Amino acid sequence: LHSKSDDKVVVHFVNQEGLKTTTVVTEGETLLDVVVNKNLDISGFGACEGTLACSTCHLILEEDIYEKMPPMVDEELDMLDLAYGLTKTSRLGCQLCVQKWMDGMTVCVPQQVQDIRATVESRKNQ
């Protein structure tokens, strides 16, 4: 699956349903661009088109990848505060440019809550 071209990077996306899609990405594209341009099956992704006005491009990164990422700007932190399913390795896809060292990484979209009643019940039991 590896391309001979130097500016190509393989990225694996796991969508809300847990389905993995592997795509070959051009270095320098944001993860938001990749989802939109490759028409990946991630519903509601990138509503504000990368203007840091929403958290719909929220992705969960592998810890070793997260630690190598450039620091967040305040606006990204503010939007992540509103994100569903926030984790300690969450970032916004619109802020992450693909680089060669990311080759082979897997990024996950937060899983959807299947049944809101189950969520309510589990809160009652805590």
Side-chain angles (χ1 to χ4, degrees):
L1 199 79
H2 289 278
S3 123
K4 289 187 171 45
S5 174
D6 286 341
D7 62 346
K8 297 293 182 194
V9 180
V10 174
V11 180
H12 309 285
F13 285 87
V14 179
N15 74 5
Q16 290 99 329
E17 287 79 42
L19 300 172
K20 186 186 223 180
T21 304
T22 299
T23 185
V24 179
V25 181
T26 304
E27 199 174 2
E29 281 186 288
T30 68
L31 291 174
L32 171 61
D33 293 337
V34 174
V35 171
V36 172
N37 296 342
K38 301 275 185 184
N39 205 18
L40 300 184
D41 183 21
I42 302 176
S43 58
F45 198 85
C48 80
E49 300 178 346
T51 59
L52 274 173
C54 75
S55 60
T56 60
C57 67
H58 172 202
L59 293 168
I60 300 167
L61 309 179
E62 297 161 298
E63 201 160 334
D64 57 326
I65 297 286
Y66 179 86
E67 287 168 4
K68 292 181 196 163
M69 289 290 180
M72 285 188 240
V73 295
D74 290 345
E75 291 83 358
E76 183 179 0
L77 279 167
D78 292 345
M79 285 300 127
L80 277 172
D81 281 344
L82 308 171
Y84 164 80
L86 194 63
T87 73
K88 64 186 173 79
T89 61
S90 290
R91 293 293 301 261
L92 295 181
C94 67
Q95 296 302 297
L96 302 177
C97 284
V98 175
Q99 295 167 31
K100 194 70 188 153
W101 63 264
M102 298 174 189
D103 191 46
M105 78 171 173
T106 299
V107 295
C108 298
V109 177
Q111 302 295 294
Q112 288 173 319
V113 176
Q114 296 304 321
D115 187 343
I116 193 71
R117 290 168 302 184
T119 307
V120 171
E121 281 304 310
S122 68
R123 283 199 187 125
K124 280 184 194 166
N125 297 330
Q126 284 180 352

